[in-house]
Amino acid sequence: MQNILKQFNIEAVNSGASTGSQWLAAGGPELVSSSPVDGKAIAAVRTATRGDYDAVVQKAAEAFQAWRQWPAPRRGEVVRQVGEALRSSKEALGRLVSYEMGKSLQEGYGEVQEMIDICDFAVGLSRQLHGLTMHSERPGHRMYEQWHPLGITGIISAFNFPVAVWSWNSMLAWVCGNVCIWKPSEKTPLTAIACQQITAKVFAANGVPEGVSGLIIGEREAGAWMAEDPCIPLVSATGSTRMGKSVGAAVGARLGRALLELGGNNAIIISKEADLDMSLIGCVFGAVGTAGQRCTSTRRLIIHDSVYDSFKDKLVKAYGQLRIGNPLDEQHHVGPLIDKQAVDMYLAAIEKCKAEGGRFLVEGGVLEGQGYESGCYVKPAIAEVENGYSIVQHETFAPILYLIRYSDLDEAIALQNGVPQGLSSAIMTLNLREAELFLSQSGSDCGIANVNIGTSGAEIGGAFGGEKETGGGRESGSDAWKAYMRRQTNTINYSTKLPLAQGIKFDL
């Protein structure tokens, strides 16, 4: 790991405030990043003060005046080169993601690949920032719409995807002509520094103005500065529903824009006509991948009565085969939770579930002994529950899977929708009518609805996000780029007269 730290010059930086290639002498308290893999300190960084934050914002505002004048395809070419730099750094950055966050090495590599993919998407997008043309009711007039950059995009990201979510936002924002300031999770600051170093080299080689890529590392108050700052027209925040409500209220109070990607409480419906063996793979990965710390992690399985017992037995057997340990060892399926606070929440959720009447088929607990010295490794658990339990209605960021019975599809859909969150959902069925009903306006109320794949592992080509307490935001693919721009409607009169709309007469 020391070689990786040297490759990205992380230990030499020791600063939590950057305008791109320039690192400020950050004056805040020191933040030590420790790995949940082994509990060891990786490196320390000085957090940003309010003064550091203001300096980064000022530089970003100056850079925007120049950056927005660059033609979009030229901005896209810079992003293409960022993608190439990420390809060259994929192994090292993927390992750093895995070690600092605790996800499996394959998932670490996958996260960097997701960054590369969004760069490719953004390059194509740079030539497609198009508006509509409309016929005017007035003769000799033409109407059309165009899209302009907003200015500074503030990005608040979570620990579970420490680099990918930043790339979803920044690559699209950059090709749209915005500049970005990133506030990463205080639990994973080193991966953010590595990304800043990668980007800075590409930007410097292309003469990109200093300030287009800003970085602020700090505790929660740094996110509050961003949310309350009228200089930042758009704040994209990923995290818990509690955090999102706070950010949304602060941004809304100043009539800014908030793009919120918040909690999920995702369910898979297992139909009596499902391919149970195929379903098992999606359910187990969805529940234990990233140790249950994805916003799209599978929290609930809603299983038809006729296959409930047989599928339950398959799950219990599969859980008995899970290998838990160091995520850098590719033989392991499950790594650690992010920290001991997460472990405490996991244990509290298990006790709450039992108190409400839940019956555990696979017991949870904290693993101890050789290889588990960090105290962050836990056992994936399975419990039979009722959907109405308060703990089931709540998102627990840990590998706890709840099993619920159903007898007909309308009931299953009602159970699926019967939680405050609305991010990802899925049905496993070979029945076309069931699949179509699930995807219809009478079906899933989530932003993502899948058939015969799990809730976890979205591709970058589609817009990502959810409804209800998930926040309503959309990132990544499709037309999510419009969130980073302002729409302008234009009317051009090329006639010799000035008629008014709606036939209004105003003669002088």
Side-chain angles (χ1 to χ4, degrees):
M1 192 54 58
Q2 289 301 314
N3 289 336
I4 293 175
L5 297 180
K6 289 179 181 178
Q7 177 176 336
F8 298 120
N9 202 32
I10 289 175
E11 291 181 312
V13 168
N14 193 31
S15 171
S18 171
T19 58
S21 62
Q22 301 298 316
W23 292 88
L24 309 183
E30 195 170 64
L31 176 66
V32 178
S33 177
S34 297
S35 172
V37 174
D38 53 21
K40 295 180 181 178
I42 310 172
V45 57
R46 287 279 176 191
T47 55
T49 64
R50 181 57 197 249
D52 299 325
Y53 168 82
D54 290 339
V56 172
V57 171
Q58 181 178 349
K59 197 66 177 178
E62 294 170 359
F64 174 61
Q65 301 305 316
W67 180 243
R68 66 179 177 178
Q69 301 296 334
W70 285 40
R74 186 181 174 197
R75 296 192 297 256
E77 167 58 18
V78 175
V79 168
R80 185 194 67 79
Q81 293 179 37
V82 172
E84 290 302 308
L86 288 169
R87 282 183 172 89
S88 299
S89 303
K90 180 176 177 178
E91 182 176 357
L93 184 57
R95 282 187 170 274
L96 182 59
V97 167
S98 179
Y99 187 61
E100 187 177 33
M101 184 270 152
K103 62 175 58 178
S104 74
L105 186 57
Q106 282 300 309
E107 291 182 78
Y109 291 152
E111 183 164 351
V112 181
Q113 184 61 48
E114 195 165 353
M115 301 171 75
I116 296 166
D117 292 344
I118 200 66
C119 286
D120 290 346
F121 178 89
V123 173
L125 178 64
S126 69
R127 294 181 181 270
Q128 301 180 67
L129 301 174
H130 49 71
L132 300 174
T133 60
M134 291 78 72
H135 287 281
S136 173
E137 67 183 58
R138 291 169 283 187
H141 287 60
R142 180 168 68 89
M143 295 178 64
Y144 72 99
E145 67 180 22
Q146 57 182 334
W147 296 82
H148 297 301
L150 287 168
I152 302 174
T153 297
I155 303 168
I156 301 173
S157 63
F159 73 86
N160 59 333
F161 281 85
V163 293
V165 172
W166 164 73
S167 70
W168 288 0
N169 286 275
S170 59
M171 304 307 162
L172 267 60
W174 284 335
V175 298
C176 288
N178 296 310
V179 299
C180 298
I181 299 176
W182 180 19
K183 190 275 177 195
S185 170
E186 61 272 22
K187 297 180 181 182
T188 52
L190 305 184
T191 49
I193 293 174
C195 290
Q196 187 76 346
Q197 300 284 61
I198 292 170
T199 302
K201 289 181 180 179
V202 174
F203 279 20
N206 285 273
V208 173
E210 185 76 14
V212 171
S213 176
L215 179 67
I216 291 292
I217 294 173
E219 301 288 347
R220 292 178 180 176
E221 65 175 356
W225 297 337
M226 192 175 285
E228 296 167 0
D229 192 343
C231 294
I232 301 182
L234 172 66
V235 176
S236 176
T238 302
S240 68
T241 297
R242 176 198 56 77
M243 180 276 291
K245 288 180 178 179
S246 175
V247 170
V251 175
R254 58 178 177 84
L255 298 181
R257 295 191 196 181
L259 196 168
L260 302 177
E261 296 288 356
L262 310 177
N265 195 346
N266 316 296
I268 300 177
I269 297 173
I270 307 296
S271 164
K272 63 182 177 181
E273 299 188 55
D275 180 330
L276 297 185
D277 290 333
M278 183 179 72
S279 301
L280 183 68
I281 297 170
C283 292
V284 175
F285 175 75
V288 307
T290 323
Q293 296 173 112
R294 293 186 176 207
C295 52
T296 55
S297 290
T298 305
R299 310 290 176 199
R300 299 173 293 143
L301 294 186
I302 302 169
I303 309 171
H304 192 272
D305 282 328
S306 64
V307 296
Y308 183 89
D309 289 334
S310 60
F311 195 69
K312 176 180 70 176
D313 291 343
K314 287 178 178 288
L315 278 169
V316 172
K317 182 179 179 181
Y319 269 53
Q321 298 171 347
L322 292 175
R323 294 184 294 274
I324 307 168
N326 188 325
L328 295 173
D329 182 344
E330 296 189 55
Q331 298 300 311
H332 292 143
H333 298 107
V334 184
L337 294 178
I338 185 64
D339 55 25
K340 291 184 179 179
Q341 181 182 8
V343 173
D344 290 342
M345 288 190 290
Y346 157 85
L347 294 173
I350 289 175
E351 292 307 311
K352 177 75 170 176
C353 183
K354 290 179 178 179
E356 291 192 74
R359 187 173 77 88
F360 277 82
L361 305 173
V362 177
E363 290 286 347
V366 181
L367 293 169
E368 299 176 344
Q370 186 175 0
Y372 305 128
E373 289 86 357
S374 70
C376 297
Y377 292 87
V378 302
K379 301 175 186 176
I382 302 176
E384 294 180 301
V385 301
E386 298 293 333
N387 203 58
Y389 291 176
S390 63
I391 191 61
V392 176
Q393 295 285 307
H394 174 76
E395 179 191 39
T396 300
F397 232 48
I400 304 174
L401 181 62
Y402 300 121
L403 307 190
I404 303 161
R405 290 178 178 266
Y406 82 92
S407 56
D408 66 72
L409 187 56
D410 287 339
E411 177 192 5
I413 291 173
L415 289 168
Q416 138 68 38
N417 295 342
V419 293
Q421 308 84 359
L423 179 51
S424 187
S425 59
I427 186 170
M428 299 293 187
T429 182
L430 302 180
N431 184 308
L432 180 61
R433 289 178 174 173
E434 287 188 333
E436 290 294 340
L437 177 61
F438 180 73
L439 300 177
S440 75
Q441 64 268 27
S442 301
S444 170
D445 65 0
C446 294
I448 299 169
N450 299 325
V451 176
N452 291 329
I453 63 171
T455 62
S456 189
E459 298 181 27
I460 61 96
F464 180 90
E467 302 303 324
K468 302 189 293 188
E469 287 194 358
T470 303
R474 293 296 186 274
E475 294 173 330
S476 192
S478 185
D479 64 349
W481 62 270
K482 293 180 178 179
Y484 305 90
M485 306 194 82
R486 58 182 177 88
R487 187 197 309 253
Q488 185 181 81
T489 301
N490 308 116
T491 305
I492 300 171
N493 178 3
Y494 59 90
S495 73
T496 59
K497 298 180 180 180
L498 204 158
L500 301 177
Q502 294 83 48
I504 295 172
K505 300 294 184 182
F506 187 78
D507 298 324
L508 294 176

